[in-house]
Every structure is written in structure tokens, then in C-alpha cells.
Amino acid sequence: MNRIEQTFQLLKKNQAKAFVPYIMAGDGGLDCLVERLKLLEAYGAAAIEVGVPFSDPVADGPTIQQAGIRALNNGTTLKGIVVELAKAREVVKIPIIIMTYLNPIYAYGITSFIHDIQKAGVDGCIIPDLPIEEEEMIAPELTAAGIELIRLVTLTTPLERIKQIAARGSGFLYTVTVKGITGTRNEFAGDLNAYLQAVKEVSPIPVLAGFGISNHEQMVTISKYCDGVVVGSKIVDLFAKNSLAEMKKLMSVFKQKTNIV
Amino acid sequence: MTAYTLPNETGHFGQFGGMFVPETLIKAITELAAAYEVAKQDPEFNLEMERLLKEYVGRETPLYFAENLTKYAGGANIYLKREDLNHTGAHKINNAIGQALLAVRMGKRKIVAETGAGQHGVATATVCALLNLECIIFMGEEDIKRQALNVFRMELLGAKVVGVTSGSATLKDAVNEALRYWVANVDDTHYLLGSVMGPHPFPLIVRDFQSVIGKETKQQFLARKDCLPDAVVACIGGGSNAMGMFHPFIEEEEVELYGVEAAGQGIDTAFHAASLTKGKPGVLHGACMYVLQDKDGQIQEAHSVSAGLDYPGVGPEHSHLKEIGRANYHSITDQEALDAFQLLSKLEGIIPALESSHAVAFAIKLAAELGPSKNIVVCLSGRGDKDVDAVRARLKGGNK
């Protein structure tokens, strides 16, 4: 059984929700990546999304764009990240999921990339600019390697299509909670809860909500209707400011509620 | 050649094209593709399009025999397809009108667009004024500096121009920002993409709306010479005027197709925009195409004296035509383009856009190579008024 599946089974058994932080690899220097992943695991992360910097991140807001530019200026490459993730695998037990735009994988070579991340012990892959119409170029090889392709659905995805995407599902279904790009938000659309419920109802795999989530209140509300949350820009911001105490507190939200993980 | 029917249903031209966009946009581009398929069969839509192209844009544009330029080049006859005579001064309006009518059909009354040199922005703002649509244009801060007059023009037409400071602050970053805006406002907004790039169906739609260039050229040339030209030549940034010129000739194998990219300071320097000559296949802005990128897949900045060619990718259909060898792609340096800019002004009394000057510069070389009795048509995609200030500054700076 894949590490992601195991994690969600355990969470389910404990009736707990998943907190999945996103981190920009290479922001602050690639050599601190392993330490940061260890820290996030210690703070209670259920899994970690490791972002790969890209020159043209069209799905990302200013916080992650800036972090990506800092990482690229540090000379961060996808090859370098994979090397670090192999080291991380020796000390981090929770699932590691790579989140990258397609072109860095394309340049790496799809087959070499999958070979290398499998060897590095990566559990999943999120590619925000790869809709199901185009995934044939990579999905079968990922599946063969036992790496979960995490697919996204959004507020604009019609219910029929949500069903189609969820049915292909591996790992978990990443539900985008805003019409827009990544970044913290004060408010969500009024119909968000109904949307999450609808997604949860048709999905055979766990449902995580992400984009725009940055505080306890949002997490508690949103996680009522799904299996957990992904928090990106806020975590990136807290690492950039080195506000580790605040990060620890932010990530304790579900532990306080459930006393598990 | 067998019938050319690309793209296929999923928007692919061989290995190129496709729809590599965030899931949020899938619904919008699927609806757009469906709306376009219906619209193009609808006589009412086509009549309205034809009416506006004739009465508002001033089509058809002349096919002009450039006798003085031909004598100068000393070889093949050079004809100019005068897209510079369109309303707003470039071919961009052909596509802007088509897409704006499509947006209205779809009930979308807000338009977002990117612009590099400002020609597509001006065309979009113009059509939005005409059809009473809200218009927001993203433009790189670098380009805003280079093309201040076009910014004022867009504002005069009622558009809101938003400066983009991220990345290289040029066309590529304006596309990023327009895409982000579209992701957040997709319900009531149409993205009026200006070139044969981006996710399916944009490369198809823009090509079809621009194909009026090639169709007219074909008819005009046949009427005059009772044969087809031996070669057609067009400049390429994203590739819309070239694709519009090429498409009606793709199945006419005796007609050679030449696309001309910007070699900037030279294709062996880091300062050029020759994506087909120096790039590799990659995925950017929703499509698989030739892209200037480093070995790790990070997109590189393009450089050209001409803001309209300053883009690190090239439309998927051009990528495909290169791959199958149907079209030839060459490049022309900043200096060669500047020379052609002045030459055409002096010889023919026509000031070409710096973009189009690349095509003119290449055509002069090609004419000499082909020799007399052959015929070349150059797509003169835009007029050079917008570039006069920049060229003057360069010439003063001793760049000649």
C-alpha cells in the first residue's frame, strides 16, 4: 500500500483531519530543505507538498511567485530537489508529494524524472497545468512506478467532470476552494461548503481543500466538509519570516481538536 | 500533400498544442471551443464579421507590387500584403473583432488581454469601444516604457492598462498575469488572446480569424498573375500574421512558406527571440511548443528590438510545420531589421513596423537567391508609426 493511502487510513481510523503544508523547495537555500521537512513532520503534517520553482507559475499568487524567484536565484533545480528528497526520505516518514508545473518535468525527461523520484521515495505528484485531457503523457508511467498523480478539481468544474476526475483518482482529490490563484484570502464564496460536500459525496478517495486557506477558523470550517486542508502561501510566508512558533501553533489546529496524529 | 485538417479534436498539431491549463480554466476553454464551432457555421456570425472587416477595418487590404524594392533586391518580384493599412495599423484587429463577437455571443461582456508592443492591446481596446465591452489590458512595465504612446491610445479608447512588474516585465509576463486574472474572473470574462498560442482552441481560432490574410492574398495573386506566388514570407513572434498568411497555402506544395524570427543581437548571443531556431519543445502558457528555456526547463527571456516579437515561445502550429518540414524558419537581427525599416521607408514610402521589417529584410535576401521571374509575397503585418520614436533614439545613439 502506498504511503499516502496508509496515512489517510490512519487518519480515518483516528477520525482526524489532514494538515498538509506546502513548501517552496530552495527558498532559503536548498540545503535547508531536509531540515524544514523534518520540522513540518514534527509539527504534525500528515504529508508535505514540495513545490518546485518555475519561471512562469500561472496558478500562483505573489507569495509563491516571490518564493519561487528566490529559489531560482539560489540556483535551485528539479534535479537538485530530487537529490535532497532522497536524503529526506531517510529521516521523514510521512508522504512527500512533489508539486511542479509540467515544463521542468518535460525538460528533465518524463521517464528519467519518474525513475529518479521513485528511487528518492517520493509518493505523489501534483501538476497544476496538466488537466486529465493531457495526462496520458505521464499518468501511466507514474502509476506503474507506484507514484500517485494527485488531480485537482475546482469551483468551475461541473459535477459530471468532478465524478470523472475523482474516479481516476489516486492519493487524494485536491479541491481548489477559490476561483483564482494561490494566496491567502479573508473570505470564501458562500457556496463553498455545499461544493465541498458535493465533491466529498462523489469522490471515492479522500478530499483535501486548498488555495487561500491561512487561519484556524477557515481550517476548522472547511475541514468539516472534507478530509483536511492544504496550506501553501501562509507556510511559505512563515518560513520566509522564520516565524516558527506561529507555524507550530497554526499546524496544531487539528491536534487540539482530535488529540491524534 | 494530403488534406491538412489540424488541429485534431483535442487541439493537437502532432506533438504540439493541447490544453495545458489549470483546471479552473477547462470549463471556459471547452465552452469557447464549442461556441466557436457553432459560430463559424452560423451565416449571421460570418456576415457580421465580414461587414465589420469591410466597413470598419477597411478590408480587403491591397496586394502591392513593390517595384523599387524589387529592383533594389535584384531578383524575384516582391509583393507586399498591406496589413499595415488595416484600421489600428496592423493585422491584430482581424482576430480581435472575431473573438470579441464570439465573447458577445457567449454573453461575456468583459475582456482581458495581454499586449507586447501594444498593437494587440490597441486592437482589443478598439473593438471593446465599438462593442461597448469592458476592457482590461495587461502590459509589461518594460513595454509600457517602450510604447508609451500605445498605452495612452488604449486609455483613450476606454481600456484599463495594468502594468506587470513580475519576471522580465515583458509580453511573457503580461500573458502570465492575464491568465491569472482570467482564472479569477472566468465567469464573466473572455480572454482575448492575441496570437496563435495558448491552450486549444486559441491557436485554431486566432489562425482562422487571421486566415483572411492568406485567402485574400491567394485570390489577389491569382487574379493578377494567374498563378500562385513561389514564396510567402512573414515575421514571427507568437506567429499570428504568419499563420494567417500560411494556412491557405499549406496544401499548395509549390508555395514555399518562410517564417522570420527575431535574432536580436544574434542567435549565438543570449539576446534573441528565435524560439524555433534555438528553442526546444516545452510547455508554456497552455500549449506544447518550441520555447526558449534553460536545461532545467526554466523559461528564458527573449530579446528583440521589436516588442511584438519579444516572446520566448512560438505557436504550436508553427512548431508542427517546422517539425514536418512544411515551413522554413529563419531569423533576422535587430540591425538587419532596422536597415530594412529605413530602406522600405525610402524606397517605397512605406514605414513598416519593426516586426514586419524582419520579414522585409529576409525577403530581400530571398529575392536575390530565387532570382528574376519568381514571386514573393511579404506580409507587411503592421505600420511603423509606433516605432518611429524608438528608431530615432537608436539611430541618434550611433547604432547605424
Coordinates of all heavy atoms in Angstrom, one line a residue, chain B residues 125-153:
Chain B
A125 N -8.7 47.1 -27.4 CA -9.4 48.2 -26.8 C -10.4 48.9 -27.9 O -11.5 49.3 -27.5 CB -8.4 49.3 -26.4
T126 N -9.9 48.9 -29.1 CA -10.7 49.5 -30.2 C -12.1 48.7 -30.3 O -13.1 49.3 -30.4 CB -10.0 49.4 -31.5 OG1 -8.8 50.2 -31.4 CG2 -10.8 49.9 -32.7
V127 N -11.9 47.4 -30.4 CA -13.1 46.6 -30.6 C -14.0 46.6 -29.4 O -15.3 46.6 -29.5 CB -12.7 45.1 -30.9 CG1 -13.9 44.2 -31.1 CG2 -11.9 45.1 -32.2
C128 N -13.4 46.7 -28.2 CA -14.2 46.8 -27.0 C -15.0 48.2 -27.0 O -16.2 48.2 -26.5 CB -13.4 46.7 -25.8 SG -12.8 45.0 -25.5
A129 N -14.4 49.2 -27.5 CA -15.1 50.5 -27.6 C -16.2 50.4 -28.5 O -17.4 50.8 -28.2 CB -14.1 51.6 -28.1
L130 N -16.0 49.7 -29.7 CA -17.0 49.6 -30.7 C -18.2 48.8 -30.1 O -19.4 49.1 -30.4 CB -16.4 48.8 -31.9 CG -17.4 48.5 -33.0 CD1 -17.9 49.7 -33.7 CD2 -16.8 47.5 -34.0
L131 N -17.9 47.7 -29.4 CA -19.0 46.8 -29.0 C -19.4 47.1 -27.5 O -20.2 46.3 -27.0 CB -18.6 45.3 -29.1 CG -18.2 44.9 -30.6 CD1 -17.7 43.5 -30.6 CD2 -19.4 45.0 -31.5
N132 N -18.9 48.1 -27.0 CA -19.3 48.5 -25.6 C -19.0 47.4 -24.6 O -19.8 47.0 -23.8 CB -20.7 48.9 -25.5 CG -21.1 49.6 -24.2 OD1 -20.2 50.1 -23.5 ND2 -22.4 49.5 -23.8
L133 N -17.7 46.9 -24.6 CA -17.3 45.9 -23.7 C -16.3 46.5 -22.7 O -15.5 47.3 -23.1 CB -16.7 44.7 -24.4 CG -17.5 44.0 -25.5 CD1 -16.7 43.0 -26.3 CD2 -18.8 43.4 -24.9
E134 N -16.3 46.0 -21.5 CA -15.3 46.4 -20.5 C -13.9 45.8 -20.9 O -13.9 44.6 -21.3 CB -15.7 45.9 -19.1 CG -15.2 46.7 -18.0 CD -15.7 46.2 -16.7 OE1 -16.9 46.2 -16.5 OE2 -14.9 45.7 -15.9
C135 N -12.9 46.5 -20.8 CA -11.6 46.1 -21.3 C -10.4 46.3 -20.4 O -10.2 47.4 -19.9 CB -11.3 46.8 -22.7 SG -9.8 46.3 -23.4
I136 N -9.7 45.3 -20.0 CA -8.5 45.4 -19.2 C -7.3 44.7 -19.9 O -7.4 43.6 -20.4 CB -8.8 44.8 -17.8 CG1 -7.5 44.9 -16.9 CG2 -9.3 43.4 -17.8 CD1 -7.8 44.7 -15.4
I137 N -6.3 45.5 -20.0 CA -5.1 45.1 -20.8 C -3.9 44.9 -19.8 O -3.5 45.9 -19.1 CB -4.7 46.1 -21.9 CG1 -5.9 46.4 -22.8 CG2 -3.5 45.6 -22.7 CD1 -6.3 45.3 -23.8
F138 N -3.2 43.8 -19.8 CA -2.0 43.6 -19.1 C -0.8 43.8 -20.0 O -0.8 43.3 -21.1 CB -1.9 42.2 -18.4 CG -2.9 42.1 -17.3 CD1 -4.1 41.5 -17.4 CD2 -2.5 42.5 -16.0 CE1 -5.0 41.4 -16.3 CE2 -3.3 42.4 -14.9 CZ -4.6 41.9 -15.1
M139 N 0.1 44.6 -19.5 CA 1.3 45.0 -20.3 C 2.5 45.1 -19.4 O 2.4 45.7 -18.3 CB 1.0 46.4 -21.0 CG 2.0 46.8 -22.0 SD 1.4 48.2 -22.9 CE 2.7 48.5 -24.1
G140 N 3.6 44.5 -19.8 CA 4.8 44.6 -19.0 C 5.3 46.0 -18.9 O 5.2 46.8 -19.8
E141 N 5.8 46.3 -17.7 CA 6.3 47.7 -17.4 C 7.4 48.1 -18.4 O 7.5 49.3 -18.8 CB 6.9 47.8 -16.0 CG 5.8 47.8 -14.9 CD 5.0 49.1 -14.8 OE1 5.5 50.1 -15.5 OE2 4.0 49.2 -14.1
E142 N 8.2 47.1 -18.8 CA 9.3 47.4 -19.8 C 8.7 47.9 -21.1 O 9.1 48.9 -21.7 CB 10.1 46.2 -20.1 CG 11.3 46.0 -19.1 CD 12.2 47.3 -19.0 OE1 12.6 47.8 -20.1 OE2 12.4 47.8 -17.9
D143 N 7.6 47.2 -21.5 CA 6.9 47.5 -22.8 C 6.2 48.9 -22.6 O 6.1 49.6 -23.6 CB 6.0 46.4 -23.2 CG 6.8 45.2 -23.6 OD1 7.9 45.3 -24.0 OD2 6.2 44.1 -23.5
I144 N 5.6 49.1 -21.4 CA 4.9 50.4 -21.2 C 5.9 51.5 -21.4 O 5.5 52.5 -22.1 CB 4.3 50.4 -19.8 CG1 3.1 49.5 -19.7 CG2 4.0 51.8 -19.4 CD1 2.4 49.4 -18.4
K145 N 7.1 51.3 -21.0 CA 8.1 52.4 -21.2 C 8.4 52.5 -22.7 O 8.6 53.6 -23.2 CB 9.4 52.0 -20.5 CG 9.4 52.4 -19.0 CD 10.8 52.2 -18.4 CE 10.7 51.4 -17.1 NZ 11.9 50.6 -16.8
R146 N 8.6 51.4 -23.4 CA 9.0 51.4 -24.8 C 7.8 51.9 -25.7 O 8.1 52.4 -26.8 CB 9.4 50.0 -25.3 CG 10.7 49.5 -24.7 CD 11.2 48.3 -25.5 NE 10.6 47.0 -25.0 CZ 11.0 45.8 -25.4 NH1 12.1 45.7 -26.2 NH2 10.4 44.7 -25.0
Q147 N 6.6 51.7 -25.2 CA 5.5 52.0 -26.1 C 4.5 52.9 -25.4 O 3.3 52.6 -25.4 CB 4.8 50.7 -26.5 CG 5.7 49.7 -27.2 CD 6.0 50.1 -28.7 OE1 5.3 50.9 -29.2 NE2 7.0 49.4 -29.2
A148 N 4.9 54.0 -24.9 CA 4.1 54.9 -24.1 C 2.9 55.4 -24.9 O 1.8 55.6 -24.3 CB 4.9 56.1 -23.6
L149 N 3.1 55.7 -26.1 CA 2.0 56.3 -26.9 C 0.9 55.3 -27.1 O -0.3 55.6 -27.0 CB 2.6 56.6 -28.3 CG 1.8 57.6 -29.1 CD1 1.6 58.9 -28.3 CD2 2.4 57.9 -30.5
N150 N 1.2 54.0 -27.2 CA 0.2 53.0 -27.4 C -0.6 52.8 -26.1 O -1.8 52.5 -26.1 CB 0.7 51.6 -27.8 CG 0.7 51.5 -29.3 OD1 0.0 52.2 -30.0 ND2 1.5 50.5 -29.8
V151 N 0.1 53.0 -24.9 CA -0.6 53.0 -23.6 C -1.7 54.1 -23.6 O -2.9 53.8 -23.2 CB 0.3 53.2 -22.4 CG1 -0.4 53.2 -21.1 CG2 1.3 52.0 -22.4
F152 N -1.3 55.3 -24.0 CA -2.3 56.4 -24.0 C -3.4 56.1 -25.0 O -4.6 56.4 -24.7 CB -1.5 57.7 -24.3 CG -2.5 58.9 -24.4 CD1 -3.1 59.3 -23.2 CD2 -2.8 59.5 -25.5 CE1 -4.0 60.4 -23.2 CE2 -3.7 60.6 -25.6 CZ -4.2 61.0 -24.4
R153 N -3.0 55.5 -26.1 CA -4.1 55.2 -27.1 C -5.1 54.2 -26.5 O -6.3 54.4 -26.7 CB -3.3 54.5 -28.3 CG -3.9 54.8 -29.6 CD -2.9 54.3 -30.7 NE -2.1 55.4 -31.3 CZ -0.9 55.2 -31.8 NH1 -0.3 54.0 -31.8 NH2 -0.3 56.2 -32.3

